[in-house]
Amino acid sequence: PSQLIDCFNFRTDYGWNPFEWKVVYRQMKGTWWELQDRLSSGSLRYPCGQISKQSSKSPHHSRQKRRILYVDAGSGSGGSAVSLLRLLEKLNKNRWEPVVMVHQGGKATEKILEMGIPVYPLPLRPEAVDRGLLKNLFEFYIPLFFRLLRELREIKPDLVHLNNSPRTPFVAILAASLLRIPVVSHLRVVRPLTGFERLLARLLKKLIVISRSSETICQRQGVSQERLRYIPDGFEMGTIDSLSRREEARRKLGILDGEPLIGVVGRLMPFKGQEKFIEVIGQVLQHYPHAKAVIVGDECEKPSQYLSHLKGLVASRHLSGRIQFTGWVENPGILYPAFDILAQTSLLPEGFSLVCLEAMTHGIPVVSTRVGAIPELVEEGVTGFLVSPGDPNAFASALLRLLKEAPLRQKMGEAGKARARSCFDIQRTVADTEALYEEVVKS
């Protein structure tokens, strides 16, 4: 019921008037009994998908099979959610029983539900909303803390795994610690930890970093090496028939033979740099007027004006026939073979670029900004080129060099494929993660 979901999300405008809070209480109480009737009938539809009463309390939970609660506080469609999905797909279900709690029900969440994995909703207040420390504490964090306590007692996990960072949501660490449930957390950013995050790290059994850059920063800030574990994200390294898939992908995009294609893949957000990409393509077309570009992805949050802004920018530069927008694509991997070059245009540090990794897997050279952990993926002059963020001239020069030198494109593409296979196989990622789980639950 929508009223109860609103109350669970603590989105109320009733302020601090005690008489108005009585109104909220009566709404919650009446809707709660309606919810109990719905649950007793077998299932309830939550915003993030179907959650079965039977599936959330699995009768097959035993000591041989350890239950893990994964908490994802992201968009449900970004890199962290995709990485979680790939981990769950390969996880040994005979040993581990996954349960997932998500903030937003994106496409990755839908696929997790299709796998038959129980999914719980996680209400979080958007970080952009600043309502003051005391209001956030009493209106949001304390109620969320007690709610998580109830759900942890219901789920009875042997381990809690935060999929984004220790900070989001930090109350999950506190609730699990109170119940003596071990917690591990991913850290998917490349930046110094705040003082609060360093404090939270002391409550973790392990802090998983996905780049050496993050590992170095954490060590400098006093996080012990015993608590840190480097496990990069991985990708499925299957056999790829590049020639046939290339022809099919280019046909879907309407790209003719002899037309070089430069692709950029990712959520449409200002810090991802799609605006700069359009500027760069304008320079490239002055030298290669027959080249084309494609922007794959959609807006993360709607309503948003960023897509309209990008399309207006393309139109104002008279590039409508040369740059196309695909919108959201369920499996972007089917389009990678159409690319001659992948452009990664992020302006802010990336914790790990799955886009670069997927392109390398398909044998595509990469031109990227030198931000975050991307230099650990893309070797300068070997698998692609790295340029300073916000320098469209240098980015355009790197693209033009690859367009001009086809043998160099092929050489870099093959080097990228070999590097992806040797360093970033999903099987290794899953094996290292399961080994960490074993270490934590036995301790």
Side-chain angles (χ1 to χ4, degrees):
S2 59
Q3 289 180 353
L4 188 61
I5 291 170
D6 286 340
C7 292
F8 275 172
N9 285 317
F10 307 103
R11 297 170 182 163
T12 163
D13 298 323
Y14 291 103
W16 293 93
N17 189 319
F19 297 101
E20 291 174 334
W21 274 108
K22 289 182 180 179
V23 176
V24 179
Y25 172 74
R26 285 197 297 269
Q27 285 184 339
M28 290 184 68
K29 186 176 180 181
T31 319
W32 175 255
W33 290 114
E34 180 184 349
L35 173 63
Q36 292 297 314
D37 293 339
R38 294 276 301 279
L39 280 172
S40 62
S41 65
S43 63
L44 167 69
R45 171 68 69 177
Y46 277 100
C48 60
Q50 188 75 16
I51 303 174
S52 163
K53 184 180 180 183
Q54 288 79 11
S55 64
S56 65
K57 294 183 178 181
S58 172
H60 303 293
H61 182 47
S62 66
R63 293 299 93 190
Q64 288 74 28
K65 184 181 288 190
R66 298 287 188 158
R67 181 174 292 170
I68 303 175
L69 173 62
Y70 295 91
V71 180
D72 185 86
S75 66
S77 301
S80 62
V82 172
S83 296
L84 175 59
L85 173 63
R86 289 174 178 167
L87 172 64
L88 295 176
E89 288 175 339
K90 300 295 183 181
L91 195 69
N92 180 6
K93 304 303 190 301
N94 293 323
R95 174 59 175 156
W96 310 105
E97 181 183 354
V99 178
V100 179
M101 186 176 288
V102 297
H103 170 45
Q104 295 187 34
K107 299 298 180 181
T109 308
E110 294 177 4
K111 290 184 175 295
I112 291 173
L113 283 164
E114 292 172 1
M115 295 166 61
I117 296 175
V119 176
Y120 284 72
L122 173 67
L124 289 178
R125 186 190 303 279
E127 293 185 359
V129 178
D130 184 9
R131 303 184 64 180
L133 176 61
L134 288 177
K135 275 202 170 185
N136 279 329
L137 181 64
F138 286 100
E139 291 185 11
F140 177 64
Y141 289 117
I142 291 178
L144 178 58
F145 172 77
F146 285 106
R147 177 183 175 181
L148 289 174
L149 277 179
R150 291 194 303 269
E151 297 200 350
L152 286 172
R153 289 192 181 104
E154 176 187 349
I155 298 170
K156 295 182 175 63
D158 297 286
L159 175 68
V160 174
H161 183 162
L162 304 186
N163 188 48
N164 306 90
S165 75
R167 184 177 177 179
T168 313
F170 70 90
V171 289
I173 299 177
L174 303 180
S177 299
L178 183 63
L179 298 176
R180 303 179 66 83
I181 301 172
V183 184
V184 301
S185 176
H186 258 94
L187 182 64
R188 298 187 181 276
V189 294
V190 180
R191 59 163 175 77
L193 298 175
T194 65
F196 185 51
E197 288 173 329
R198 292 199 300 270
L199 181 63
L200 291 172
R202 296 182 180 181
L203 300 177
L204 300 173
K205 291 295 183 181
K206 295 291 180 181
L207 181 62
I208 305 172
V209 292
I210 58 177
S211 69
R212 293 296 185 186
S213 302
S214 292
E215 185 179 36
T216 301
I217 292 173
C218 290
Q219 288 175 341
R220 288 174 179 173
Q221 291 190 293
V223 181
S224 66
Q225 183 61 46
E226 293 181 357
R227 201 179 304 274
L228 288 170
R229 185 65 57 88
Y230 168 67
I231 305 178
D233 287 336
F235 187 75
E236 180 68 50
M237 304 294 173
T239 303
I240 299 175
D241 186 357
S242 300
L243 181 60
S244 62
R245 292 187 63 181
R246 177 176 172 84
E247 294 174 351
E248 180 183 356
R250 291 176 73 88
R251 186 165 52 250
K252 287 183 178 180
L253 294 172
I255 306 300
L256 303 178
D257 291 339
E259 291 182 334
L261 181 63
I262 304 169
V264 60
V265 181
R267 292 174 293 167
L268 302 186
M269 303 178 72
F271 83 89
K272 289 292 187 179
Q274 288 93 355
E275 186 173 347
K276 290 292 183 182
F277 177 71
I278 293 171
E279 181 181 350
V280 167
I281 293 301
Q283 297 185 36
V284 170
L285 290 174
Q286 294 177 9
H287 301 271
Y288 282 85
H290 59 294
K292 286 190 175 181
V294 58
I295 298 176
V296 181
D298 200 358
E299 295 165 303
C300 179
E301 296 182 359
K302 296 185 178 181
S304 172
Q305 302 299 320
Y306 190 56
L307 176 58
S308 300
H309 169 70
L310 293 177
K311 290 184 175 180
L313 191 61
V314 168
S316 66
R317 293 174 178 266
H318 308 289
L319 301 175
S320 299
R322 289 297 167 185
I323 300 179
Q324 63 171 295
F325 295 84
T326 67
W328 182 81
V329 178
E330 181 175 0
N331 179 17
I334 64 175
L335 299 180
Y336 280 100
F339 301 166
D340 292 286
I341 307 169
L342 176 90
Q344 168 59 280
T345 54
S346 293
L347 303 177
L348 297 178
E350 293 273 358
F352 191 92
S353 178
L354 288 175
V355 170
C356 290
L357 178 57
E358 292 184 51
M360 291 162 58
T361 304
H362 287 83
I364 301 168
V366 178
V367 176
S368 173
T369 50
R370 187 183 286 105
V371 293
I374 291 179
E376 298 180 29
L377 291 169
V378 181
E379 291 186 86
E380 167 65 26
V382 179
T383 65
F385 293 115
L386 298 170
V387 300
S388 299
D391 189 349
N393 295 328
F395 209 110
S397 297
L399 291 176
L400 287 171
R401 181 179 174 184
L402 285 174
L403 289 174
K404 184 186 300 184
E405 303 179 30
L408 180 62
R409 287 203 310 270
Q410 183 176 359
K411 179 181 179 182
M412 285 187 166
E414 292 300 322
K417 185 185 294 186
R419 176 166 173 75
R421 288 184 179 276
S422 63
C423 302
F424 303 103
D425 193 330
I426 187 63
Q427 301 291 350
R428 175 185 294 182
T429 300
V430 174
D432 290 347
T433 305
E434 290 187 343
L436 179 143
Y437 291 161
E438 293 284 2
E439 180 180 337
V440 170
V441 297
K442 288 180 180 178
S443 65

